[in-house]
Amino acid sequence: MGYPHCCTVLLIVLLALQQSAGFWLFDVFPSNFKTQNKVPNNSTPPVLIVPGTAGNQLEAKIDKPSRVHWMCYKKTDDFFTLWIDLNMFMPIGIDCWIDNIRIVYNRTTRKSSNSAGVSVRVPGFGQTYTVEFLDKNKLSGYFNNMVTHLVNMGYVRNEAVRAAPYDFRVAPNEQEEYFARLKKLVEDMYEQYQQPLYLLGHSMGSNYVLYFLYQQTQAWKDQYIKGFISLGAPWGGAVKTLRVLASGENLGIPLVSNIKIREQQRMTTTNPWMLPFEEAWPADHVFISTPSFNYTRQDYQRFFKDIDFEDGWFMWEDTRNLTAGLPPPGVEIYCFYGVGLPTPVTYIYDDQFPNADPIDYVYADGDDTVDSLSMGLCKRWIGKQAQPVHVKEFRSMPHMEIVLNRKVINVVQSILEGRYGEEDSTFHETDERPIDSPVMQDQAQPDQPPKSTL
């Protein structure tokens, strides 16, 4: 592909993505924060970022026994960008990409592996570049605004602020090596700065952090973790996952159908893990409605059979109890999420299910991607652990914008500087609703779920 044509493709894809309704757990935004020359500040606690699903770069190297299309590479001499190279979303490129990024699940061993002849690695562990931008051309910004703001506070990239990217295709039950590296990175940062650090997670990254904290002793957490800042965490899973697995969602990618992208979305173990948890929803709430059957959380096995993806049932069984019961994390936590936006909690299909898009939706409160019932489950920790629990709801804050929004980033700064809760210009009652322990323990229980109209 010639350079001019390549740039044209990238521009078309970028513009289309920015006009899309939104990505599953990330979107494409240009960075609007500029780095200023600041003297490094070692007084504020170090920060370690854990991104959401699809929130960091992946690379692959291939030597495959066969290929799905004659235009696909069969072998490469070195690693290349697997996620995200915007050129891969062209009609032919999508088939090559799906075959490279997919995982293969073994029902006997209950383990997943890469496609035959494909090696996948996560670049930049301990560095921020892989979460600041998701592509090498720096068109798809993610944590860049946040990191740039921290640098302007006096943080140093890859030293006082670092990131722990991971293979987001694979659920925590198969991530022993990652969590060992994460623990060592925490300890190394503690030793370097001689003070505990903040873990900052977005979306499913917060679920990863929660699982990680459950594996540590209280003594370890007391020594190494200053606090846990969570942004838009689907503590109780996400209803949207059911639609993604059933009929796919093209994430706003132009020229790619929902059914085509569904092939890749079913080839992860993290999507089944994120099915709605029983902690968030009553047993009779209908998530998927079709002319022949209404699917609740009691019908997951039938759901996977009916959509012809029975591996998904085994993946869900493997992961359903990773954070069972959602006990408190055992560290001070700042649980922030968006509310006030219509968020689908029921998808209605016609008789073409699952091979056609939903024809209607039932909405409830949320951040346009995850419902507030799931994100608000952190309220149950108020008064249930020795460490403080802070909950703040940001009015009309979309799921992705919470990482990019200047107001949210200013609140994060106030935490790092020990000023959280002080009256300042970052708080306006119409925009944010704080729920802090212990003064609102009685009022801080999750609202009742919406009554199904089905």
Side-chain angles (χ1 to χ4, degrees):
M1 179 180 293
Y3 179 77
H5 180 58
C6 171
C7 291
T8 300
V9 169
L10 287 173
L11 181 60
I12 292 172
V13 173
L14 175 64
L15 292 175
L17 290 176
Q18 288 183 305
Q19 295 300 317
S20 71
F23 274 47
W24 162 213
L25 290 182
F26 79 97
D27 212 330
V28 175
F29 291 90
S31 172
N32 54 19
F33 281 44
K34 302 301 181 183
T35 302
Q36 304 169 6
N37 293 323
K38 288 284 186 177
V39 176
N41 177 9
N42 291 329
S43 63
T44 48
V47 177
L48 180 55
I49 297 169
V50 180
T53 186
N56 55 257
Q57 298 176 25
L58 295 179
E59 296 177 342
K61 184 178 180 180
I62 59 175
D63 186 4
K64 303 167 72 170
S66 61
R67 49 189 171 185
V68 295
H69 192 282
W70 68 269
M71 290 190 68
C72 300
Y73 283 107
K74 188 176 180 181
K75 181 177 181 179
T76 61
D77 294 329
D78 204 350
F79 281 87
F80 61 92
T81 300
L82 181 64
W83 182 259
I84 177 175
D85 177 1
L86 298 181
N87 288 300
M88 68 194 180
F89 296 127
M90 300 312 292
I92 294 176
I94 193 72
D95 291 316
C96 308
W97 172 71
I98 288 174
D99 194 54
N100 290 336
I101 201 170
R102 69 187 179 93
I103 65 166
V104 179
Y105 181 77
N106 187 312
R107 294 189 196 179
T108 302
T109 64
R110 310 299 279 259
K111 298 291 184 181
S112 60
S113 60
N114 292 316
S115 179
V118 178
S119 298
V120 175
R121 71 181 184 187
V122 181
F125 186 83
Q127 302 179 59
T128 63
Y129 77 89
T130 187
V131 303
E132 289 192 61
F133 294 95
L134 305 183
D135 70 301
K136 303 293 187 183
N137 299 297
K138 297 187 177 181
L139 295 174
S140 48
Y142 182 30
F143 264 101
N144 179 252
N145 281 3
M146 180 78 71
V147 172
T148 299
H149 187 88
L150 295 181
V151 170
N152 290 338
M153 287 174 57
Y155 281 80
V156 178
R157 277 183 173 89
N158 308 327
E159 293 186 21
V161 55
R162 307 185 75 173
Y166 56 96
D167 188 342
F168 48 78
R169 305 172 304 159
V170 182
N173 57 310
E174 295 186 74
Q175 295 275 21
E176 295 88 351
E177 181 181 351
Y178 170 75
F179 288 115
R181 295 181 71 193
L182 178 61
K183 184 174 183 179
K184 185 178 186 305
L185 182 56
V186 169
E187 294 172 351
D188 289 346
M189 293 177 71
Y190 173 88
E191 292 299 325
Q192 182 178 355
Y193 291 94
Q194 290 298 298
Q195 60 174 317
L197 60 142
Y198 280 101
L199 298 171
L200 194 162
H202 173 238
S203 196
M204 192 182 74
S206 293
N207 298 65
Y208 258 75
V209 172
L210 185 66
Y211 177 84
F212 170 73
L213 291 173
Y214 286 165
Q215 312 308 310
Q216 313 310 317
T217 66
Q218 189 60 52
W220 187 92
K221 290 183 281 192
D222 291 343
Q223 179 176 356
Y224 292 104
I225 305 301
K226 176 74 172 176
F228 173 19
I229 303 170
S230 168
L231 305 177
W235 304 118
V239 179
K240 192 171 187 176
T241 314
L242 287 155
R243 182 253 168 94
V244 167
L245 292 172
S247 55
E249 185 179 70
N250 72 353
L251 314 175
I253 301 168
L255 309 179
V256 177
S257 70
N258 290 330
I259 297 302
K260 171 58 70 174
I261 202 71
R262 181 181 68 178
E263 296 178 41
Q264 183 275 326
Q265 291 166 332
R266 289 184 176 184
M267 296 173 184
T268 74
T269 58
T270 43
N271 274 339
W273 177 41
M274 283 291 102
L275 291 186
F277 298 2
E278 64 182 44
E279 287 83 1
W281 291 96
D284 61 350
H285 178 81
V286 175
F287 297 118
I288 299 285
S289 177
T290 75
S292 59
F293 196 78
N294 289 332
Y295 299 88
T296 70
R297 64 175 174 81
Q298 300 182 93
D299 305 305
Y300 286 163
Q301 187 169 16
R302 174 168 177 170
F303 169 77
F304 283 116
K305 182 178 180 181
D306 289 351
I307 67 172
D308 194 25
F309 178 45
E310 293 190 69
D311 279 351
W313 166 253
F314 294 94
M315 295 176 184
W316 179 75
E317 281 199 317
D318 294 342
T319 57
R320 59 180 297 188
N321 292 319
L322 294 182
T323 57
L326 291 175
V331 299
E332 184 169 7
I333 183 168
Y334 301 83
C335 181
F336 300 161
Y337 54 93
V339 295
L341 295 176
T343 303
V345 295
T346 301
Y347 294 91
I348 303 171
Y349 289 83
D350 61 18
D351 57 7
Q352 299 300 306
F353 173 84
N355 297 315
D357 295 337
I359 60 171
D360 205 354
Y361 309 86
V362 175
Y363 293 91
D365 183 69
D367 66 2
D368 78 13
T369 296
V370 182
D371 58 88
S372 58
L373 287 175
S374 176
M375 295 183 292
L377 286 174
C378 55
K379 297 175 184 176
R380 63 165 54 192
W381 298 330
I382 294 176
K384 298 298 192 298
Q385 64 174 24
Q387 301 79 10
V389 175
H390 313 278
V391 180
K392 187 185 289 289
E393 298 174 338
F394 289 83
R395 182 66 52 185
S396 302
M397 182 69 69
H399 188 74
M400 258 312 302
E401 189 176 335
I402 198 168
V403 178
L404 310 160
N405 184 270
R406 190 177 297 273
K407 182 179 297 182
V408 176
I409 293 174
N410 285 338
V411 175
V412 171
Q413 177 178 348
S414 74
I415 296 170
L416 302 178
E417 294 178 340
R419 299 184 293 102
Y420 180 79
E422 296 178 5
E423 282 193 36
D424 57 34
S425 60
T426 64
F427 175 75
H428 301 282
E429 184 64 34
T430 57
D431 297 318
E432 301 141 32
R433 185 169 55 192
I435 306 171
D436 267 344
S437 61
V439 294
M440 296 193 67
Q441 290 182 33
D442 295 337
Q443 299 95 322
Q445 300 305 312
D447 298 329
Q448 292 299 309
K451 297 294 184 181
S452 175
T453 58
L454 303 173

